[in-house]
Amino acid sequence: MSVLRVLLFGCVGNCLMFGVELAWGVWSGSNALVADSFHLASDAVAWGIAGWAEWFSRWSASERYTFGREKARALAAALSVCLLTFVMAREVLPEAIGGFSAPQPILSTMMLVVAAIGGFWNLLLRFLLPEPGRAHHVRSARLHVDFDLVSSAVVVASAVLIKATGWLWWDSAGSLVVVALIMFPAWVTFRQARDELLDKAPPFPWEAFQRV
């Protein structure tokens, strides 16, 4: 399967998974599951942007695009990270922080099942997605998949801990862990895309030059 088809498949599949997980998260009262579902929503948009970049960058240079369109891939990666940051700040963090002060009853079994389904889905995408190399748009899509897997694992752990201890704040703690795990590699991906867009030069080896 070509990279473009994999990206479009991931976009459509993540749209469906977002709807299912959000509905079950609201029904079960799980902040961690709602957080994971909004990450799936950002995944769907990010994979769609990456698919556009893959299609657009294949076009050859023209009078208007004299240097080609390869930088569309870096632009897609930067947009993807900005979208992810917005979703985390606008939707996930307020829900998680509010869960500590006013925890709601949670259907931990339903929370566990949905998180497991999401984990299997992301394992499939991880298997289909090729190695990114220097393709920033594929790297950003892979970033979403890798940390969806981590967030699904955190949701499963939160559900198990809630069932074992009865402490509902594990759910909000899990949401904060998901945010913390996502943001650092997201920043690294954004910085790499930014450097390519701005044509940043590699460090000059001044010490070797002075020795000569």
Side-chain angles (χ1 to χ4, degrees):
M1 188 181 295
S2 67
V3 175
L4 180 57
R5 289 183 178 180
V6 170
L7 292 172
L8 294 179
F9 172 76
C11 176
V12 174
N14 277 317
C15 286
L16 297 176
M17 289 295 296
F18 162 69
V20 172
E21 195 163 355
L22 177 62
W24 283 10
V26 172
W27 184 47
S28 65
S30 168
N31 289 326
L33 207 54
V34 171
D36 195 42
S37 72
F38 276 104
H39 190 204
L40 282 173
S42 69
D43 284 350
V45 177
W47 281 61
I49 293 174
W52 166 83
E54 177 67 21
W55 169 79
F56 189 74
S57 64
R58 292 181 179 183
W59 289 70
S60 58
S62 64
E63 292 182 359
R64 297 187 63 187
Y65 298 96
T66 54
F67 293 99
R69 312 185 191 195
E70 287 293 322
K71 288 189 177 181
R73 299 177 175 183
L75 177 61
L79 291 174
S80 175
V81 173
C82 290
L83 172 65
L84 177 61
T85 304
F86 173 78
V87 170
M88 294 296 105
R90 177 66 177 83
E91 301 293 343
V92 178
L93 284 176
E95 289 290 335
I97 294 172
F100 282 106
S101 59
Q104 301 295 323
I106 295 172
L107 300 176
S108 56
T109 301
M110 182 63 69
M111 174 181 167
L112 183 63
V113 171
V114 176
I117 293 173
F120 283 118
W121 164 248
N122 283 289
L123 280 174
L124 173 62
L125 293 181
R126 186 66 169 77
F127 174 77
L128 293 175
L129 199 62
E131 290 293 327
R134 291 183 56 83
H136 295 294
H137 65 309
V138 177
R139 183 179 295 113
S140 66
R142 190 170 181 174
L143 171 70
H144 282 262
V145 171
D146 288 343
F147 282 87
D148 274 347
L149 287 170
V150 174
S151 64
S152 293
V154 170
V155 171
V156 170
S158 299
V160 171
L161 289 170
I162 290 171
K163 288 181 71 69
T165 64
W167 297 342
L168 299 179
W169 56 265
W170 282 114
D171 180 57
S172 294
S175 298
L176 295 179
V177 169
V178 170
V179 172
L181 291 173
I182 288 171
M183 294 315 299
F184 177 73
W187 161 246
V188 172
T189 301
F190 177 81
R191 185 179 61 187
Q192 293 172 344
R194 176 206 63 189
D195 291 346
E196 181 170 333
L197 288 171
L198 298 178
D199 294 320
K200 182 180 180 181
F204 188 81
W206 289 107
E207 296 181 358
F209 180 76
Q210 290 172 355
R211 286 197 297 268
V212 174

